[in-house]
Amino acid sequence: MRTIIYLLIGIVFGITMFKSEAASWFRIYEMFKFEAFHMYGIIGVAVITGVIGTFLIKRFRVRSFYGEPIKFYPKEKKVKRYLFGGILFGLGWALAGACPGPMFTLVGAGFTPILVVIAAALAGTFIYGLLKDKLPH
């Protein structure tokens, strides 16, 4: 039953991404050229929603679907690591015209060339998994 719930949540998320144009290559292109506020507005609302959601989860000790307490752990303070990862992620986003969430939305909307980007993302993830222990911390 949980799988069906997760599937429905994913479908609603995909429809929301597509209808809000967050999966639009043109909107992403506009964002990176600083020509429109549209994507910054979507990202800003998502950040604010996440902050409020995290606050409420902590405040009311909300439990997961499995009934377990939700725990938050502090992040490592390795600025160079996050800076490099953010730049790499941003470059990939700009080149592909999609971040990981909208990639699957675009497949569902019938934009099959995005399968090349998904294959490259999976290959990159696999290679990272192989090299993770050899990379500087």
Side-chain angles (χ1 to χ4, degrees):
M1 185 65 182
R2 285 189 183 132
T3 303
I4 293 171
I5 292 171
Y6 295 149
L7 179 63
L8 293 174
I9 290 170
I11 289 170
V12 169
F13 177 72
I15 291 169
T16 303
M17 293 286 284
F18 192 75
K19 290 294 186 180
S20 69
E21 296 183 346
S24 165
W25 180 88
F26 178 74
R27 289 294 187 180
I28 293 167
Y29 182 69
E30 276 183 332
M31 178 184 71
F32 281 112
K33 289 180 62 182
F34 300 104
E35 291 179 349
F37 180 75
H38 186 87
M39 288 298 292
Y40 294 110
I42 290 172
I43 293 168
V45 168
V47 169
I48 291 167
T49 302
V51 168
I52 292 170
T54 301
F55 170 78
L56 293 173
I57 288 170
K58 288 179 176 181
R59 176 81 168 101
F60 296 106
R61 296 189 174 113
V62 176
R63 295 185 170 272
S64 73
F65 285 127
Y66 303 106
E68 301 168 353
I70 298 173
K71 298 177 185 175
F72 293 92
Y73 299 98
K75 295 264 184 200
E76 296 177 30
K77 306 255 193 250
K78 298 187 178 187
V79 176
K80 280 198 295 188
R81 179 180 190 171
Y82 294 123
L83 185 63
F84 179 73
I87 290 170
L88 193 60
F89 180 83
L91 287 172
W93 192 8
L95 288 172
C99 71
M103 287 190 320
F104 297 103
T105 301
L106 290 169
V107 170
F111 296 96
T112 55
I114 199 73
L115 290 172
V116 173
V117 176
I118 292 173
L122 290 172
T125 303
F126 179 74
I127 292 168
Y128 172 76
L130 293 175
L131 300 176
K132 183 180 178 186
D133 296 334
K134 296 170 181 64
L135 295 172
H137 296 281

